[in-house]
Amino acid sequence: MSIFEQVTAAFAAENYDPSAFRNLHHKEFMFVRELDLISRDEFCRSIDELIESGWENWKDIELIHENQYAMETRWRDGDEVVTRVNLKKDGLIWRSIVSRIPYKQRH
C-alpha cells in the first residue's frame, strides 16, 4: 500500500488514530514552513487538532505523483490551491513542504 493510500486510510477511519498517522512519518521528519522547521511531534499534533475540529479537506486531496522517493499531492483550501511535496526515507515521509497559490492564479 502506498503512503498516500495509508494516509487516506488513517483519515478515513471511523475513529481517527493519531498514532497510526504519526507512524507514517520518519523519526527525523521535518515540515518546512516558510522559515521554520516543524518537528514530527509538532506537525502531527497540528494535524490531530485539525481532524478534531472537523477538517475534511483530506477528502479532496489529489495524488499527483508518488514513487519510492517522493509524493506530490494537491487540494483546494478556500481560495487557494495547496501543493504538498513529501520526500521519503526508509519508506516513510521524511520531509514535507507546501506551496499555496491563489486559486485564480493556477494554470
Side-chain angles (χ1 to χ4, degrees), residues 19-54:
S19 61
F21 179 74
R22 184 179 187 277
N23 290 337
L24 296 172
H25 296 79
H26 196 278
K27 65 182 180 181
E28 298 170 357
F29 172 85
M30 297 298 285
F31 176 69
V32 181
R33 183 174 61 191
E34 301 298 327
L35 301 174
D36 295 328
L37 292 175
I38 308 299
S39 72
R40 176 175 73 168
D41 290 341
E42 292 175 272
F43 176 76
C44 290
R45 213 173 10 256
S46 69
I47 297 299
D48 296 346
E49 290 169 5
L50 275 175
I51 296 295
E52 290 173 10
S53 73

Side-chain angles (χ1 to χ4, degrees), residues 4 7-8 11 55-64 71-76 82 84:
F4 180 77
V7 169
T8 301
F11 287 148
W55 182 74
E56 293 191 347
N57 282 12
W58 66 266
K59 294 178 180 179
D60 300 321
I61 296 175
E62 174 187 5
L63 177 63
I64 305 302
M71 175 176 71
E72 178 186 357
T73 55
R74 188 168 296 128
W75 66 96
R76 186 168 177 180
V82 182
R84 167 172 275 141

